[in-house]
Structures are given as C-alpha cells and as structure tokens.
Amino acid sequence: MDYDRIFNFSAGPSTLPVSVLESARDDLLNYKGSGMSVMEMSHRSSVFDAIFQDTKAKLRKALNVPEGYAILFLQGGASSQFSMVPLNLISATGKADYAVTGNFANLACKEAQKYGQIHIAASSADQNHSYIPTQEQLQLDPEASYFYYCANNTIYGTEWSYVPETGKVPLVCDMSSDILSRPIDVSKYGVIFAGAQKNMAPAGLTVVIMREDLAGHELPYTPLMMNYQTMIAKDSMYNTPPCWCIYMLGLVLDWLETQGGVAGMERIKHKKAQMLYDVIDNSRLFTAAAQKGSRSDMNVTFRTASPELDAKFVKEATAAGMSNLKGHRNVGGMRASIYNAMPMEGIETLAAFIEAFDRAN
Ligand SMILES: Cc1ncc(COP(=O)(O)O)c(C=O)c1O
C-alpha cells in the first residue's frame, strides 16, 4: 500500500519498517483480543509480561547474548548511561579510559570526570573527528576500571571497524547508532548500551546488555534508579518501563528475523553505504567528511565546497522526497542516516540525486 511516505534520512528518531508500523496500527485499539492497546496496559499484566519476556528473548537470540549477561530495558536515553556507567563501574580502581571520537563520547567522558580519574586513551579531535584511532594509537591504562568507546559516531559519520583489545579491562560501548546492524561478540564486552531510536524502536527506550558480575559495585551515592543492580534484581521493572517502545522493539526484531537477522543486515548495510560513498568519491562537487577506513555504514557525511550549495542540495532533495539530509552543525554539509530500515530504494534514489546534482551544478 502507498502511504505517500518520503525517504527519511533522520539520524534519530529515524525511519521504521513499514510492516512494523502496519502491525502496530493493526494492534493499536485492541492488542490480540485483550480489549486494549499496549499503551493502555498495566506493565504488571500477564499480557504485557508476555510481550516483555518475548522481546527480551528475541533480542538475546538476535545478538546471541550469552549466559551471565543481563538485558535491561531502561529509560533516560543513551545519555543517562553517560552517568550510569561511571557510577556503577568506576569504583573498581577509581580510574577509567575513554576514547573520544565524537560528540557523544566527549559528553560521556566529561560526565565521567565527576566520578573518578578519567584518562583520554585516544582522541580524534585533532582532525575534527574524521577518523577512528588504530589499536596501536590507543594508550591503555591496565588499571582502568573500564575502557569506554562509541562504536559509531552519529554526527561525524565514523565507525570503529574493530573491537579494541584491552586485556582484562572491561569494554563499555555506546552502540546507539549501529546496534543490530551486524553480529557482535557480546562476550568481549562488559557493558553495551544503546538508545533505541535509530535501529530498534521509537525514542524512550534505552537497552543495556551487561555482564551481571559488573553490577553491585556502585558508588555509595548512586541514585536508586541509576543502579544497575536495582534494575537487574527487578528485571527492569523497579518502576514502569517504556512499555510501548518495548512492544515496538519486539515488532522490529520480528522484522529483522525476516531480513536474515543481524547477519542479513551486515550483508546489505555495507553495500548500501558503499553505493553512496562511491557516487560521492566519483563526483566533482562532493567530498566525504570521514576518512576512508573510518567511514560509517550508518551515517554518511558529505559536503560540497560551499555552504550555499549544501543548502541548495538539502532544499532540492527535500522537494524530491528525501528529508533530514542537513548535516549536524559540528560537521556542516549533509548527512544521510541509513539505518537498517532504510530501504535500498531510498539509497538508490539518493545516489541518483547526488549524481544529477553534481552534473547540474
Ligand atoms: C552514538 C550516540 N550516543 C548517544 C546519543 C544520545 O542519545 P539519547 O538522545 O537517547 O540520550 C546519541 C543520539 O543521537 C547517539 O547517536
């Protein structure tokens, strides 16, 4: 069915699969004979409990989350994890390593400085975060309580192509903008977290996947709601969880399964991104903002040599049915966010538009 939708390249909240939206619509007034919407249901009801447990099980399966790891469905956005991580983890040695490869890693690093001694293990600020440091460039402190990095830098359009080797130091990773885009070895991580509003669900849900033994060591003044142990003990239901978003995540995970799961996503995401990088690299007008080898498959950042021409591009693209292509002010130019739910047709349309714009200007 044609809903007159446009290709939405928003960095988040972002486009969701149409079939997911259709299922949500069909369930909206009466969820499977319960006589009510999931939005109206008690989070303690058996109907919602089934949705909750089912979604958690589907996520565990999709990411192959091993035993000993808890899956938490929290609120507060990925940004609340910038505080929760140090509050819960830094007591091990009082120190932590941060790789600052973009805006959100920088915010997390600044927040952590309130709670312990923070060492910047690597920074890409010298080249406006256009690259990811190599393993050799990481200055690791073997006494760090954890090593923190952001797997995909949404604003700058860079993505780590490797998992840092940190020995015994647990890895903490913000995967907000590339979770579910590829298989990951969860056992390599101490804590993985992600705001849901890019690859998982509507805004309002924050997913945490963590080694259970890392909980229970929080700083004494850690607020109850920011204590991982509270949430593990209560299976994320100390208070009312983001019920609707959890339900939506379940639908997205069903859709993901039909696409071949995270392995299926990995097969097509690079092809999608490469199609855009190729037209950008082969054009006269456009350059990619991120350096080769560090380029993100989720957020493609590019620009012309002139802010006026960038503005013209965004305006004409919008008129042609492609929205939210304006880049973040820290980078300028354009950004195409092409998460899992962006169909190949959207990529092809944008690639053809870039080529036509290059010829016409
Ligand atoms: C990588 C990354 N981390 C953290 C955030 C902040 O997420 P939230 O708005 O859910 O706090 C974002 C938001 O875009 C992001 O892209």
Side-chain angles (χ1 to χ4, degrees), residues 74-315:
L74 308 181
Q75 307 198 39
S79 302
S80 65
Q81 295 306 308
F82 300 169
S83 322
M84 249 173 123
V85 164
L87 280 167
N88 285 270
L89 265 55
I90 209 160
S91 73
T93 63
K95 303 198 287 177
D97 272 355
Y98 275 71
V100 177
T101 56
N103 174 62
F104 295 107
N106 189 40
L107 292 175
C109 179
K110 289 239 158 65
E111 177 64 9
Q113 284 165 3
K114 294 178 188 165
Y115 305 111
Q117 197 183 324
I118 303 304
H119 168 237
I120 298 183
S123 168
S124 51
D126 59 330
Q127 295 175 46
N128 198 29
H129 299 304
S130 60
Y131 70 100
I132 298 292
T134 61
Q135 172 74 41
E136 291 67 41
Q137 288 172 323
L138 305 178
Q139 292 171 4
L140 301 171
D141 175 0
E143 284 182 12
S145 303
Y146 58 90
F147 174 92
Y148 181 105
Y149 76 111
C150 177
N152 185 77
N153 299 285
T154 321
I155 290 176
Y156 295 90
T158 60
E159 191 171 13
W160 291 65
S161 62
Y162 68 98
V163 180
E165 282 293 338
T166 55
K168 287 194 172 23
V169 175
L171 283 178
V172 173
C173 186
D174 175 357
M175 285 193 197
S176 294
S177 50
D178 67 354
I179 196 163
L180 297 180
S181 72
R182 64 198 151 91
I184 47 171
D185 181 353
V186 174
S187 71
K188 287 191 170 169
Y189 295 88
V191 177
I192 293 167
F193 69 84
Q197 64 271 20
K198 297 148 200 309
N199 257 345
M200 293 197 286
L205 166 66
T206 310
V207 171
V208 175
I209 302 171
M210 68 176 294
R211 248 173 58 195
E212 285 183 31
D213 63 294
L214 291 175
H217 311 288
E218 68 283 352
L219 294 171
Y221 47 82
T222 302
L224 184 70
M225 284 291 294
M226 303 212 90
N227 185 342
Y228 288 133
Q229 195 59 48
T230 311
M231 290 304 179
I232 291 174
K234 297 288 183 186
D235 200 6
S236 305
M237 290 225 209
Y238 174 81
N239 70 329
T240 317
C243 303
W244 173 257
C245 296
I246 293 166
Y247 156 75
M248 289 294 287
L249 172 59
L251 295 182
V252 168
L253 289 166
D254 289 342
W255 169 83
L256 190 73
E257 182 84 15
T258 67
Q259 308 297 304
V262 289
M265 284 300 123
E266 186 178 41
R267 277 193 292 278
I268 64 159
K269 67 154 188 154
H270 190 62
K271 215 169 124 192
K272 282 159 70 180
Q274 203 51 49
M275 190 180 291
L276 295 180
Y277 287 122
D278 281 347
V279 293
I280 291 164
D281 288 341
N282 292 327
S283 72
R284 288 173 309 120
L285 285 182
F286 299 97
T287 46
Q291 298 178 25
K292 280 188 181 158
S294 298
R295 291 173 173 180
S296 166
D297 284 343
M298 297 283 110
N299 310 95
V300 177
T301 47
F302 58 107
R303 63 168 83 86
T304 69
S306 121
E308 291 74 33
L309 212 49
D310 289 344
K312 184 169 185 251
F313 180 94
V314 172
K315 191 166 170 224

Side-chain angles (χ1 to χ4, degrees), residues 30-48:
N30 186 346
Y31 175 77
K32 298 200 191 316
S34 64
M36 63 184 85
S37 165
V38 176
M39 286 187 217
E40 303 166 296
M41 229 169 241
S42 163
H43 59 296
R44 308 276 178 208
S45 65
S46 58
V47 183
F48 184 74

